[in-house]
């Protein structure tokens, strides 16, 4: 699961680099750049949270499966 997150994160970074170049050409205000940077940071954090959520969800399913197996063989 961690490998999936690393892959997703690398794709996001590549996409954001291209978007940064386009954005810098269109926006001149430092305030707009600051807002954009905050939104970009927030988007990255959201992706990290989603990856962690999926990892925890997978771990919970595994623990539930192990608990069922333990109940079958006391």
């Amino acid at each position: 699961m961690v490998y999936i997150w690393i892959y997703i994160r690398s794709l996001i970074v590549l996409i954001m680099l291209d978007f940064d170049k386009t954005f810098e050409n269109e926006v001149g205000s430092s305030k707009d750049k600051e807002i954009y940077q905050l939104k970009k940071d927030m988007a990255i954090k959201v992706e990290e949270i989603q990856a962690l959520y999926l990892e925890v969800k997978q771990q919970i399913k595994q623990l539930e499966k192990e608990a069922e197996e333990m109940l079958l063989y006391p």
Side-chain angles (χ1 to χ4, degrees), residues 1 11-12 19 23 38 41 46 48 63 67:
M1 194 52 140
L11 288 176
I12 291 170
F19 188 71
F23 182 78
L38 290 171
D41 292 343
V46 166
E48 290 174 357
L63 289 172

Side-chain angles (χ1 to χ4, degrees), residues 5-66:
W5 177 80
I6 292 171
Y7 177 73
I8 291 171
R9 177 83 163 103
S10 63
L11 288 176
I12 291 170
V13 169
L14 291 174
I15 292 168
M16 293 307 289
L17 289 175
D18 288 338
F19 188 71
D20 283 344
K21 292 176 189 173
T22 304
F23 182 78
E24 287 177 5
N25 293 334
E26 294 178 3
V27 177
S29 167
S30 64
K31 189 75 164 177
D32 289 338
K33 287 181 182 180
E34 183 180 352
I35 291 170
Y36 167 74
Q37 186 63 42
L38 290 171
K39 286 182 178 181
K40 185 171 100 172
D41 292 343
M42 185 176 154
I44 290 171
K45 293 298 178 187
V46 166
E47 291 293 328
E48 290 174 357
I49 290 168
Q50 288 175 344
L52 288 172
Y53 171 77
L54 291 174
E55 187 175 341
V56 168
K57 187 176 176 181
Q58 185 178 8
Q59 290 174 351
I60 289 172
K61 285 182 181 180
Q62 181 65 31
L63 289 172
E64 287 173 345
K65 182 179 176 183
E66 290 174 9

